[in-house]
Amino acid sequence: MPKIDLYRNVHMGQHARLFALATELGAADVSHSGAAAEQAARCLAMTRELREHADHEDTFIHQMLRERAPEAADALEAEHVRLDAAFVALDERARTLTGTPAEDLPEAQHALYLALNEVISAYLAHLHAEETVAMPALWQYAGAEELGAVMAAFRASRTSEQALTDLRRMLPALPPAPRVAMSWRPPRTGRRTARSPRCPARSAPTSVTG
């Protein structure tokens, strides 16, 4: 049976969407009506999502990490300092983009692009630390039942709408097997009809996300 990985799936989704956001921001024609506001809103939504994700990890994972592997927890805390500064810088750039005069928009767009890539740079280092330092420490010092309980507690905290959002963020970035396992479960009884669609699997293995 595969080890329970509290980070991998959600991180794969974050990688894909961060890279896509950077590519699309760099190529956007912000001279078109509403384009600058759209790109700024997307950057602000991303930092909001990443902060919420960090709160979920702190609530459901990192207390256990502090208790079982304090050195690993300290390494993650050090990453947060750089991350927080990068988030603030990106938010400031995004909020000023929409009020920029037309002649200054190209430079303002590029400044936002650079700020986003600073976030990506800091965030990739943070994800790497979680996956190569924190998760191995949890595998060493916590049992499968404890890790499964973390997953169950996170799933129980999510509404149906939030769970669907979690899946939409992760699934496009995952290989076929975990994508199928996370997306569907067999109907409980009888033959499936048009009025009884399969539901997103609330019990399938996933990551602590949001």
Side-chain angles (χ1 to χ4, degrees):
M1 183 176 178
K3 292 179 179 179
I4 294 175
D5 193 321
L6 302 177
Y7 297 109
R8 180 171 61 181
N9 291 340
V10 62
H11 286 180
M12 291 180 73
Q14 289 174 340
H15 280 100
R17 289 180 304 105
L18 283 166
F19 297 153
L21 178 58
T23 301
E24 291 161 14
L25 171 60
D29 184 353
V30 293
S31 65
H32 286 186
S33 176
E38 177 187 358
Q39 295 302 320
R42 292 181 69 195
C43 289
L44 291 168
M46 181 59 74
T47 56
R48 184 167 57 251
E49 175 192 330
L50 298 182
R51 287 184 175 107
E52 290 172 355
H53 170 72
D55 289 343
H56 294 153
E57 288 183 332
D58 198 55
T59 299
F60 294 99
I61 302 175
H62 293 161
Q63 182 58 43
M64 179 187 291
L65 190 67
R66 293 184 193 101
E67 294 170 355
R68 308 295 175 83
E71 291 183 359
D74 289 345
L76 296 189
E77 289 299 325
E79 296 286 341
H80 283 154
V81 175
R82 181 185 174 196
L83 268 179
D84 290 344
F87 287 160
V88 169
L90 178 58
D91 286 349
E92 290 175 352
R93 289 288 185 184
R95 292 190 180 104
T96 60
L97 183 68
T98 53
T100 302
E103 64 272 18
D104 296 329
L105 266 177
E107 290 304 314
Q109 176 186 7
H110 190 65
L112 180 61
Y113 175 79
L114 293 178
L116 173 59
N117 279 281
E118 174 61 21
V119 164
I120 293 172
S121 174
Y123 203 68
L124 292 182
H126 179 68
L127 299 188
H128 187 72
E130 287 183 333
E131 294 193 37
T132 64
V133 177
M135 196 64 242
L138 288 170
W139 284 328
Q140 181 175 358
Y141 296 114
E145 287 188 4
E146 291 176 291
L147 297 179
V150 169
M151 300 289 285
F154 173 74
R155 286 197 300 268
S157 76
R158 307 296 277 168
T159 66
S160 296
E161 292 76 13
Q162 290 170 332
L164 284 171
T165 297
D166 295 342
L167 289 174
R168 292 188 185 107
R169 288 171 174 172
M170 287 186 287
L171 292 183
L174 301 183
R179 189 164 65 239
V180 170
M182 290 174 62
S183 298
W184 305 107
R185 63 184 174 189
R188 292 182 180 177
T189 58
R191 185 173 60 186
R192 184 164 55 97
T193 68
R195 296 180 62 83
S196 60
R198 294 178 179 179
C199 297
R202 294 300 300 274
S203 59
T206 179
S207 300
V208 173
T209 180

PDB file of all heavy atoms in Angstrom, residues 35-71:
ATOM      1  N   ALA A  35      -8.078  43.896 -19.146  1.00  0.00           N
ATOM      2  CA  ALA A  35      -7.049  42.859 -19.071  1.00  0.00           C
ATOM      3  C   ALA A  35      -6.117  43.055 -17.867  1.00  0.00           C
ATOM      4  O   ALA A  35      -5.739  42.096 -17.200  1.00  0.00           O
ATOM      5  CB  ALA A  35      -6.241  42.822 -20.360  1.00  0.00           C
ATOM      6  N   ALA A  36      -5.758  44.306 -17.604  1.00  0.00           N
ATOM      7  CA  ALA A  36      -4.878  44.561 -16.462  1.00  0.00           C
ATOM      8  C   ALA A  36      -5.569  44.170 -15.154  1.00  0.00           C
ATOM      9  O   ALA A  36      -4.964  43.546 -14.277  1.00  0.00           O
ATOM     10  CB  ALA A  36      -4.462  46.030 -16.433  1.00  0.00           C
ATOM     11  N   ALA A  37      -6.838  44.534 -15.027  1.00  0.00           N
ATOM     12  CA  ALA A  37      -7.586  44.192 -13.820  1.00  0.00           C
ATOM     13  C   ALA A  37      -7.702  42.677 -13.667  1.00  0.00           C
ATOM     14  O   ALA A  37      -7.617  42.143 -12.552  1.00  0.00           O
ATOM     15  CB  ALA A  37      -8.972  44.829 -13.862  1.00  0.00           C
ATOM     16  N   GLU A  38      -7.903  41.975 -14.774  1.00  0.00           N
ATOM     17  CA  GLU A  38      -8.014  40.515 -14.714  1.00  0.00           C
ATOM     18  C   GLU A  38      -6.728  39.883 -14.225  1.00  0.00           C
ATOM     19  O   GLU A  38      -6.738  38.994 -13.366  1.00  0.00           O
ATOM     20  CB  GLU A  38      -8.376  39.967 -16.087  1.00  0.00           C
ATOM     21  CG  GLU A  38      -8.441  38.447 -16.132  1.00  0.00           C
ATOM     22  CD  GLU A  38      -8.647  37.886 -17.535  1.00  0.00           C
ATOM     23  OE1 GLU A  38      -8.776  38.680 -18.484  1.00  0.00           O
ATOM     24  OE2 GLU A  38      -8.648  36.645 -17.672  1.00  0.00           O
ATOM     25  N   GLN A  39      -5.600  40.318 -14.774  1.00  0.00           N
ATOM     26  CA  GLN A  39      -4.326  39.741 -14.367  1.00  0.00           C
ATOM     27  C   GLN A  39      -4.006  40.072 -12.909  1.00  0.00           C
ATOM     28  O   GLN A  39      -3.498  39.224 -12.166  1.00  0.00           O
ATOM     29  CB  GLN A  39      -3.207  40.230 -15.292  1.00  0.00           C
ATOM     30  CG  GLN A  39      -3.329  39.769 -16.732  1.00  0.00           C
ATOM     31  CD  GLN A  39      -3.357  38.267 -16.864  1.00  0.00           C
ATOM     32  OE1 GLN A  39      -2.629  37.549 -16.175  1.00  0.00           O
ATOM     33  NE2 GLN A  39      -4.198  37.763 -17.757  1.00  0.00           N
ATOM     34  N   ALA A  40      -4.314  41.295 -12.503  1.00  0.00           N
ATOM     35  CA  ALA A  40      -4.082  41.665 -11.102  1.00  0.00           C
ATOM     36  C   ALA A  40      -4.939  40.813 -10.173  1.00  0.00           C
ATOM     37  O   ALA A  40      -4.457  40.335  -9.135  1.00  0.00           O
ATOM     38  CB  ALA A  40      -4.396  43.149 -10.912  1.00  0.00           C
ATOM     39  N   ALA A  41      -6.195  40.607 -10.557  1.00  0.00           N
ATOM     40  CA  ALA A  41      -7.102  39.811  -9.722  1.00  0.00           C
ATOM     41  C   ALA A  41      -6.620  38.373  -9.623  1.00  0.00           C
ATOM     42  O   ALA A  41      -6.731  37.743  -8.559  1.00  0.00           O
ATOM     43  CB  ALA A  41      -8.513  39.861 -10.297  1.00  0.00           C
ATOM     44  N   ARG A  42      -6.089  37.832 -10.701  1.00  0.00           N
ATOM     45  CA  ARG A  42      -5.589  36.458 -10.667  1.00  0.00           C
ATOM     46  C   ARG A  42      -4.401  36.330  -9.720  1.00  0.00           C
ATOM     47  O   ARG A  42      -4.281  35.342  -8.984  1.00  0.00           O
ATOM     48  CB  ARG A  42      -5.197  36.008 -12.072  1.00  0.00           C
ATOM     49  CG  ARG A  42      -6.360  35.844 -13.033  1.00  0.00           C
ATOM     50  CD  ARG A  42      -5.886  35.383 -14.386  1.00  0.00           C
ATOM     51  NE  ARG A  42      -5.392  34.011 -14.334  1.00  0.00           N
ATOM     52  CZ  ARG A  42      -4.650  33.446 -15.285  1.00  0.00           C
ATOM     53  NH1 ARG A  42      -4.287  34.163 -16.349  1.00  0.00           N
ATOM     54  NH2 ARG A  42      -4.249  32.194 -15.165  1.00  0.00           N
ATOM     55  N   CYS A  43      -3.516  37.311  -9.717  1.00  0.00           N
ATOM     56  CA  CYS A  43      -2.365  37.269  -8.805  1.00  0.00           C
ATOM     57  C   CYS A  43      -2.820  37.374  -7.355  1.00  0.00           C
ATOM     58  O   CYS A  43      -2.320  36.644  -6.479  1.00  0.00           O
ATOM     59  CB  CYS A  43      -1.392  38.390  -9.144  1.00  0.00           C
ATOM     60  SG  CYS A  43      -0.501  38.155 -10.703  1.00  0.00           S
ATOM     61  N   LEU A  44      -3.774  38.263  -7.085  1.00  0.00           N
ATOM     62  CA  LEU A  44      -4.280  38.413  -5.727  1.00  0.00           C
ATOM     63  C   LEU A  44      -4.994  37.146  -5.264  1.00  0.00           C
ATOM     64  O   LEU A  44      -4.876  36.741  -4.097  1.00  0.00           O
ATOM     65  CB  LEU A  44      -5.214  39.620  -5.643  1.00  0.00           C
ATOM     66  CG  LEU A  44      -4.536  40.983  -5.791  1.00  0.00           C
ATOM     67  CD1 LEU A  44      -5.588  42.079  -5.975  1.00  0.00           C
ATOM     68  CD2 LEU A  44      -3.661  41.288  -4.584  1.00  0.00           C
ATOM     69  N   ALA A  45      -5.737  36.517  -6.172  1.00  0.00           N
ATOM     70  CA  ALA A  45      -6.415  35.263  -5.820  1.00  0.00           C
ATOM     71  C   ALA A  45      -5.405  34.166  -5.502  1.00  0.00           C
ATOM     72  O   ALA A  45      -5.628  33.342  -4.605  1.00  0.00           O
ATOM     73  CB  ALA A  45      -7.331  34.832  -6.963  1.00  0.00           C
ATOM     74  N   MET A  46      -4.287  34.149  -6.218  1.00  0.00           N
ATOM     75  CA  MET A  46      -3.274  33.125  -5.981  1.00  0.00           C
ATOM     76  C   MET A  46      -2.620  33.305  -4.619  1.00  0.00           C
ATOM     77  O   MET A  46      -2.452  32.330  -3.875  1.00  0.00           O
ATOM     78  CB  MET A  46      -2.220  33.148  -7.086  1.00  0.00           C
ATOM     79  CG  MET A  46      -1.137  32.091  -6.929  1.00  0.00           C
ATOM     80  SD  MET A  46      -1.781  30.389  -6.890  1.00  0.00           S
ATOM     81  CE  MET A  46      -2.191  30.159  -8.629  1.00  0.00           C
ATOM     82  N   THR A  47      -2.244  34.525  -4.254  1.00  0.00           N
ATOM     83  CA  THR A  47      -1.629  34.707  -2.939  1.00  0.00           C
ATOM     84  C   THR A  47      -2.630  34.397  -1.828  1.00  0.00           C
ATOM     85  O   THR A  47      -2.259  33.836  -0.789  1.00  0.00           O
ATOM     86  CB  THR A  47      -1.067  36.124  -2.749  1.00  0.00           C
ATOM     87  OG1 THR A  47      -2.100  37.098  -2.957  1.00  0.00           O
ATOM     88  CG2 THR A  47       0.081  36.391  -3.708  1.00  0.00           C
ATOM     89  N   ARG A  48      -3.899  34.730  -2.050  1.00  0.00           N
ATOM     90  CA  ARG A  48      -4.918  34.405  -1.056  1.00  0.00           C
ATOM     91  C   ARG A  48      -5.029  32.890  -0.888  1.00  0.00           C
ATOM     92  O   ARG A  48      -5.089  32.376   0.235  1.00  0.00           O
ATOM     93  CB  ARG A  48      -6.264  34.994  -1.486  1.00  0.00           C
ATOM     94  CG  ARG A  48      -7.380  34.780  -0.466  1.00  0.00           C
ATOM     95  CD  ARG A  48      -8.585  35.643  -0.775  1.00  0.00           C
ATOM     96  NE  ARG A  48      -9.108  35.407  -2.108  1.00  0.00           N
ATOM     97  CZ  ARG A  48      -9.018  36.255  -3.135  1.00  0.00           C
ATOM     98  NH1 ARG A  48      -8.392  37.409  -2.990  1.00  0.00           N
ATOM     99  NH2 ARG A  48      -9.530  35.949  -4.313  1.00  0.00           N
ATOM    100  N   GLU A  49      -5.040  32.166  -1.988  1.00  0.00           N
ATOM    101  CA  GLU A  49      -5.119  30.705  -1.936  1.00  0.00           C
ATOM    102  C   GLU A  49      -3.903  30.104  -1.230  1.00  0.00           C
ATOM    103  O   GLU A  49      -4.033  29.192  -0.408  1.00  0.00           O
ATOM    104  CB  GLU A  49      -5.205  30.133  -3.350  1.00  0.00           C
ATOM    105  CG  GLU A  49      -5.179  28.622  -3.393  1.00  0.00           C
ATOM    106  CD  GLU A  49      -4.983  28.081  -4.801  1.00  0.00           C
ATOM    107  OE1 GLU A  49      -5.413  28.734  -5.766  1.00  0.00           O
ATOM    108  OE2 GLU A  49      -4.391  26.994  -4.932  1.00  0.00           O
ATOM    109  N   LEU A  50      -2.713  30.603  -1.536  1.00  0.00           N
ATOM    110  CA  LEU A  50      -1.504  30.044  -0.926  1.00  0.00           C
ATOM    111  C   LEU A  50      -1.457  30.324   0.570  1.00  0.00           C
ATOM    112  O   LEU A  50      -0.980  29.487   1.350  1.00  0.00           O
ATOM    113  CB  LEU A  50      -0.256  30.592  -1.630  1.00  0.00           C
ATOM    114  CG  LEU A  50      -0.129  30.236  -3.114  1.00  0.00           C
ATOM    115  CD1 LEU A  50       1.174  30.794  -3.680  1.00  0.00           C
ATOM    116  CD2 LEU A  50      -0.212  28.731  -3.344  1.00  0.00           C
ATOM    117  N   ARG A  51      -1.947  31.479   0.983  1.00  0.00           N
ATOM    118  CA  ARG A  51      -2.010  31.759   2.423  1.00  0.00           C
ATOM    119  C   ARG A  51      -3.011  30.825   3.111  1.00  0.00           C
ATOM    120  O   ARG A  51      -2.753  30.333   4.210  1.00  0.00           O
ATOM    121  CB  ARG A  51      -2.402  33.224   2.652  1.00  0.00           C
ATOM    122  CG  ARG A  51      -1.302  34.237   2.330  1.00  0.00           C
ATOM    123  CD  ARG A  51      -1.753  35.643   2.685  1.00  0.00           C
ATOM    124  NE  ARG A  51      -0.713  36.637   2.499  1.00  0.00           N
ATOM    125  CZ  ARG A  51      -0.680  37.530   1.511  1.00  0.00           C
ATOM    126  NH1 ARG A  51      -1.654  37.538   0.595  1.00  0.00           N
ATOM    127  NH2 ARG A  51       0.294  38.401   1.421  1.00  0.00           N
ATOM    128  N   GLU A  52      -4.157  30.596   2.478  1.00  0.00           N
ATOM    129  CA  GLU A  52      -5.143  29.678   3.055  1.00  0.00           C
ATOM    130  C   GLU A  52      -4.576  28.266   3.137  1.00  0.00           C
ATOM    131  O   GLU A  52      -4.783  27.559   4.138  1.00  0.00           O
ATOM    132  CB  GLU A  52      -6.415  29.690   2.208  1.00  0.00           C
ATOM    133  CG  GLU A  52      -7.204  30.987   2.315  1.00  0.00           C
ATOM    134  CD  GLU A  52      -8.353  31.045   1.322  1.00  0.00           C
ATOM    135  OE1 GLU A  52      -8.467  30.111   0.482  1.00  0.00           O
ATOM    136  OE2 GLU A  52      -9.121  32.025   1.369  1.00  0.00           O
ATOM    137  N   HIS A  53      -3.859  27.868   2.105  1.00  0.00           N
ATOM    138  CA  HIS A  53      -3.229  26.549   2.109  1.00  0.00           C
ATOM    139  C   HIS A  53      -2.243  26.423   3.271  1.00  0.00           C
ATOM    140  O   HIS A  53      -2.218  25.407   3.973  1.00  0.00           O
ATOM    141  CB  HIS A  53      -2.515  26.332   0.778  1.00  0.00           C
ATOM    142  CG  HIS A  53      -1.640  25.130   0.745  1.00  0.00           C
ATOM    143  ND1 HIS A  53      -2.130  23.843   0.703  1.00  0.00           N
ATOM    144  CD2 HIS A  53      -0.282  24.999   0.758  1.00  0.00           C
ATOM    145  CE1 HIS A  53      -1.136  22.987   0.682  1.00  0.00           C
ATOM    146  NE2 HIS A  53      -0.005  23.662   0.723  1.00  0.00           N
ATOM    147  N   ALA A  54      -1.447  27.464   3.500  1.00  0.00           N
ATOM    148  CA  ALA A  54      -0.493  27.436   4.618  1.00  0.00           C
ATOM    149  C   ALA A  54      -1.224  27.333   5.958  1.00  0.00           C
ATOM    150  O   ALA A  54      -0.778  26.617   6.864  1.00  0.00           O
ATOM    151  CB  ALA A  54       0.377  28.690   4.584  1.00  0.00           C
ATOM    152  N   ASP A  55      -2.362  28.018   6.075  1.00  0.00           N
ATOM    153  CA  ASP A  55      -3.146  27.924   7.317  1.00  0.00           C
ATOM    154  C   ASP A  55      -3.647  26.496   7.533  1.00  0.00           C
ATOM    155  O   ASP A  55      -3.635  25.986   8.664  1.00  0.00           O
ATOM    156  CB  ASP A  55      -4.338  28.882   7.261  1.00  0.00           C
ATOM    157  CG  ASP A  55      -3.929  30.343   7.375  1.00  0.00           C
ATOM    158  OD1 ASP A  55      -2.796  30.610   7.812  1.00  0.00           O
ATOM    159  OD2 ASP A  55      -4.751  31.208   7.013  1.00  0.00           O
ATOM    160  N   HIS A  56      -4.084  25.843   6.449  1.00  0.00           N
ATOM    161  CA  HIS A  56      -4.565  24.468   6.574  1.00  0.00           C
ATOM    162  C   HIS A  56      -3.435  23.531   6.994  1.00  0.00           C
ATOM    163  O   HIS A  56      -3.622  22.660   7.853  1.00  0.00           O
ATOM    164  CB  HIS A  56      -5.169  23.998   5.247  1.00  0.00           C
ATOM    165  CG  HIS A  56      -6.398  24.743   4.870  1.00  0.00           C
ATOM    166  ND1 HIS A  56      -6.803  24.896   3.562  1.00  0.00           N
ATOM    167  CD2 HIS A  56      -7.318  25.406   5.613  1.00  0.00           C
ATOM    168  CE1 HIS A  56      -7.912  25.599   3.531  1.00  0.00           C
ATOM    169  NE2 HIS A  56      -8.243  25.925   4.756  1.00  0.00           N
ATOM    170  N   GLU A  57      -2.267  23.709   6.393  1.00  0.00           N
ATOM    171  CA  GLU A  57      -1.131  22.864   6.777  1.00  0.00           C
ATOM    172  C   GLU A  57      -0.773  23.083   8.245  1.00  0.00           C
ATOM    173  O   GLU A  57      -0.465  22.123   8.963  1.00  0.00           O
ATOM    174  CB  GLU A  57       0.068  23.164   5.884  1.00  0.00           C
ATOM    175  CG  GLU A  57      -0.089  22.653   4.468  1.00  0.00           C
ATOM    176  CD  GLU A  57       1.156  22.903   3.629  1.00  0.00           C
ATOM    177  OE1 GLU A  57       1.883  23.876   3.914  1.00  0.00           O
ATOM    178  OE2 GLU A  57       1.374  22.143   2.680  1.00  0.00           O
ATOM    179  N   ASP A  58      -0.807  24.343   8.675  1.00  0.00           N
ATOM    180  CA  ASP A  58      -0.458  24.627  10.061  1.00  0.00           C
ATOM    181  C   ASP A  58      -1.474  24.006  11.017  1.00  0.00           C
ATOM    182  O   ASP A  58      -1.114  23.488  12.083  1.00  0.00           O
ATOM    183  CB  ASP A  58      -0.402  26.143  10.277  1.00  0.00           C
ATOM    184  CG  ASP A  58       0.356  26.512  11.536  1.00  0.00           C
ATOM    185  OD1 ASP A  58       1.508  26.086  11.687  1.00  0.00           O
ATOM    186  OD2 ASP A  58      -0.222  27.215  12.385  1.00  0.00           O
ATOM    187  N   THR A  59      -2.749  24.020  10.616  1.00  0.00           N
ATOM    188  CA  THR A  59      -3.802  23.472  11.460  1.00  0.00           C
ATOM    189  C   THR A  59      -3.747  21.947  11.537  1.00  0.00           C
ATOM    190  O   THR A  59      -3.870  21.357  12.619  1.00  0.00           O
ATOM    191  CB  THR A  59      -5.183  23.907  10.941  1.00  0.00           C
ATOM    192  OG1 THR A  59      -5.269  25.333  10.979  1.00  0.00           O
ATOM    193  CG2 THR A  59      -6.307  23.294  11.772  1.00  0.00           C
ATOM    194  N   PHE A  60      -3.542  21.303  10.379  1.00  0.00           N
ATOM    195  CA  PHE A  60      -3.721  19.855  10.326  1.00  0.00           C
ATOM    196  C   PHE A  60      -2.415  19.047  10.323  1.00  0.00           C
ATOM    197  O   PHE A  60      -2.439  17.867  10.644  1.00  0.00           O
ATOM    198  CB  PHE A  60      -4.549  19.487   9.084  1.00  0.00           C
ATOM    199  CG  PHE A  60      -5.950  20.004   9.142  1.00  0.00           C
ATOM    200  CD1 PHE A  60      -6.308  21.169   8.477  1.00  0.00           C
ATOM    201  CD2 PHE A  60      -6.916  19.350   9.881  1.00  0.00           C
ATOM    202  CE1 PHE A  60      -7.603  21.666   8.541  1.00  0.00           C
ATOM    203  CE2 PHE A  60      -8.218  19.832   9.961  1.00  0.00           C
ATOM    204  CZ  PHE A  60      -8.565  20.993   9.287  1.00  0.00           C
ATOM    205  N   ILE A  61      -1.289  19.662   9.948  1.00  0.00           N
ATOM    206  CA  ILE A  61      -0.042  18.902   9.811  1.00  0.00           C
ATOM    207  C   ILE A  61       1.043  19.372  10.761  1.00  0.00           C
ATOM    208  O   ILE A  61       1.691  18.572  11.439  1.00  0.00           O
ATOM    209  CB  ILE A  61       0.499  18.991   8.361  1.00  0.00           C
ATOM    210  CG1 ILE A  61      -0.525  18.479   7.353  1.00  0.00           C
ATOM    211  CG2 ILE A  61       1.796  18.201   8.233  1.00  0.00           C
ATOM    212  CD1 ILE A  61      -0.086  18.648   5.899  1.00  0.00           C
ATOM    213  N   HIS A  62       1.261  20.668  10.811  1.00  0.00           N
ATOM    214  CA  HIS A  62       2.520  21.144  11.360  1.00  0.00           C
ATOM    215  C   HIS A  62       2.589  21.119  12.881  1.00  0.00           C
ATOM    216  O   HIS A  62       3.699  21.154  13.440  1.00  0.00           O
ATOM    217  CB  HIS A  62       2.850  22.521  10.788  1.00  0.00           C
ATOM    218  CG  HIS A  62       3.138  22.462   9.318  1.00  0.00           C
ATOM    219  ND1 HIS A  62       3.098  23.565   8.497  1.00  0.00           N
ATOM    220  CD2 HIS A  62       3.443  21.398   8.514  1.00  0.00           C
ATOM    221  CE1 HIS A  62       3.379  23.192   7.255  1.00  0.00           C
ATOM    222  NE2 HIS A  62       3.583  21.889   7.249  1.00  0.00           N
ATOM    223  N   GLN A  63       1.454  21.023  13.566  1.00  0.00           N
ATOM    224  CA  GLN A  63       1.523  20.820  15.009  1.00  0.00           C
ATOM    225  C   GLN A  63       2.157  19.464  15.307  1.00  0.00           C
ATOM    226  O   GLN A  63       3.013  19.340  16.188  1.00  0.00           O
ATOM    227  CB  GLN A  63       0.127  20.905  15.631  1.00  0.00           C
ATOM    228  CG  GLN A  63       0.131  20.757  17.145  1.00  0.00           C
ATOM    229  CD  GLN A  63       0.997  21.807  17.837  1.00  0.00           C
ATOM    230  OE1 GLN A  63       0.968  22.982  17.476  1.00  0.00           O
ATOM    231  NE2 GLN A  63       1.773  21.380  18.828  1.00  0.00           N
ATOM    232  N   MET A  64       1.738  18.438  14.556  1.00  0.00           N
ATOM    233  CA  MET A  64       2.356  17.117  14.711  1.00  0.00           C
ATOM    234  C   MET A  64       3.843  17.174  14.372  1.00  0.00           C
ATOM    235  O   MET A  64       4.681  16.575  15.055  1.00  0.00           O
ATOM    236  CB  MET A  64       1.659  16.089  13.817  1.00  0.00           C
ATOM    237  CG  MET A  64       2.271  14.691  13.905  1.00  0.00           C
ATOM    238  SD  MET A  64       1.568  13.540  12.700  1.00  0.00           S
ATOM    239  CE  MET A  64      -0.096  13.356  13.379  1.00  0.00           C
ATOM    240  N   LEU A  65       4.176  17.926  13.327  1.00  0.00           N
ATOM    241  CA  LEU A  65       5.577  18.038  12.927  1.00  0.00           C
ATOM    242  C   LEU A  65       6.400  18.703  14.031  1.00  0.00           C
ATOM    243  O   LEU A  65       7.518  18.269  14.323  1.00  0.00           O
ATOM    244  CB  LEU A  65       5.680  18.835  11.624  1.00  0.00           C
ATOM    245  CG  LEU A  65       7.040  18.850  10.941  1.00  0.00           C
ATOM    246  CD1 LEU A  65       7.404  17.464  10.415  1.00  0.00           C
ATOM    247  CD2 LEU A  65       7.056  19.872   9.799  1.00  0.00           C
ATOM    248  N   ARG A  66       5.861  19.752  14.654  1.00  0.00           N
ATOM    249  CA  ARG A  66       6.582  20.422  15.748  1.00  0.00           C
ATOM    250  C   ARG A  66       6.825  19.475  16.917  1.00  0.00           C
ATOM    251  O   ARG A  66       7.865  19.545  17.582  1.00  0.00           O
ATOM    252  CB  ARG A  66       5.797  21.646  16.214  1.00  0.00           C
ATOM    253  CG  ARG A  66       5.701  22.768  15.191  1.00  0.00           C
ATOM    254  CD  ARG A  66       4.997  23.990  15.758  1.00  0.00           C
ATOM    255  NE  ARG A  66       4.658  24.921  14.690  1.00  0.00           N
ATOM    256  CZ  ARG A  66       3.453  25.039  14.149  1.00  0.00           C
ATOM    257  NH1 ARG A  66       2.461  24.278  14.590  1.00  0.00           N
ATOM    258  NH2 ARG A  66       3.232  25.897  13.172  1.00  0.00           N
ATOM    259  N   GLU A  67       5.856  18.610  17.169  1.00  0.00           N
ATOM    260  CA  GLU A  67       5.988  17.691  18.293  1.00  0.00           C
ATOM    261  C   GLU A  67       6.954  16.550  17.999  1.00  0.00           C
ATOM    262  O   GLU A  67       7.732  16.149  18.872  1.00  0.00           O
ATOM    263  CB  GLU A  67       4.611  17.108  18.636  1.00  0.00           C
ATOM    264  CG  GLU A  67       3.631  18.134  19.171  1.00  0.00           C
ATOM    265  CD  GLU A  67       2.221  17.575  19.276  1.00  0.00           C
ATOM    266  OE1 GLU A  67       1.995  16.422  18.845  1.00  0.00           O
ATOM    267  OE2 GLU A  67       1.339  18.306  19.772  1.00  0.00           O
ATOM    268  N   ARG A  68       6.929  16.036  16.763  1.00  0.00           N
ATOM    269  CA  ARG A  68       7.705  14.835  16.442  1.00  0.00           C
ATOM    270  C   ARG A  68       9.076  15.158  15.837  1.00  0.00           C
ATOM    271  O   ARG A  68      10.025  14.395  16.016  1.00  0.00           O
ATOM    272  CB  ARG A  68       6.932  13.962  15.452  1.00  0.00           C
ATOM    273  CG  ARG A  68       5.517  13.632  15.868  1.00  0.00           C
ATOM    274  CD  ARG A  68       5.452  12.767  17.124  1.00  0.00           C
ATOM    275  NE  ARG A  68       4.081  12.551  17.567  1.00  0.00           N
ATOM    276  CZ  ARG A  68       3.279  11.618  17.074  1.00  0.00           C
ATOM    277  NH1 ARG A  68       3.710  10.783  16.135  1.00  0.00           N
ATOM    278  NH2 ARG A  68       2.048  11.499  17.523  1.00  0.00           N
ATOM    279  N   ALA A  69       9.150  16.250  15.064  1.00  0.00           N
ATOM    280  CA  ALA A  69      10.400  16.572  14.362  1.00  0.00           C
ATOM    281  C   ALA A  69      10.603  18.086  14.373  1.00  0.00           C
ATOM    282  O   ALA A  69      10.426  18.753  13.356  1.00  0.00           O
ATOM    283  CB  ALA A  69      10.357  16.038  12.933  1.00  0.00           C
ATOM    284  N   PRO A  70      10.944  18.650  15.513  1.00  0.00           N
ATOM    285  CA  PRO A  70      11.038  20.115  15.624  1.00  0.00           C
ATOM    286  C   PRO A  70      12.050  20.748  14.681  1.00  0.00           C
ATOM    287  O   PRO A  70      11.850  21.882  14.236  1.00  0.00           O
ATOM    288  CB  PRO A  70      11.421  20.336  17.098  1.00  0.00           C
ATOM    289  CG  PRO A  70      11.918  19.016  17.596  1.00  0.00           C
ATOM    290  CD  PRO A  70      11.204  17.973  16.798  1.00  0.00           C
ATOM    291  N   GLU A  71      13.125  20.043  14.356  1.00  0.00           N
ATOM    292  CA  GLU A  71      14.098  20.625  13.425  1.00  0.00           C
ATOM    293  C   GLU A  71      13.489  20.803  12.038  1.00  0.00           C
ATOM    294  O   GLU A  71      13.738  21.808  11.366  1.00  0.00           O
ATOM    295  CB  GLU A  71      15.349  19.745  13.358  1.00  0.00           C
ATOM    296  CG  GLU A  71      16.171  19.766  14.637  1.00  0.00           C
ATOM    297  CD  GLU A  71      17.441  18.952  14.504  1.00  0.00           C
ATOM    298  OE1 GLU A  71      17.674  18.359  13.426  1.00  0.00           O
ATOM    299  OE2 GLU A  71      18.214  18.890  15.480  1.00  0.00           O
TER     300      GLU A  71
END
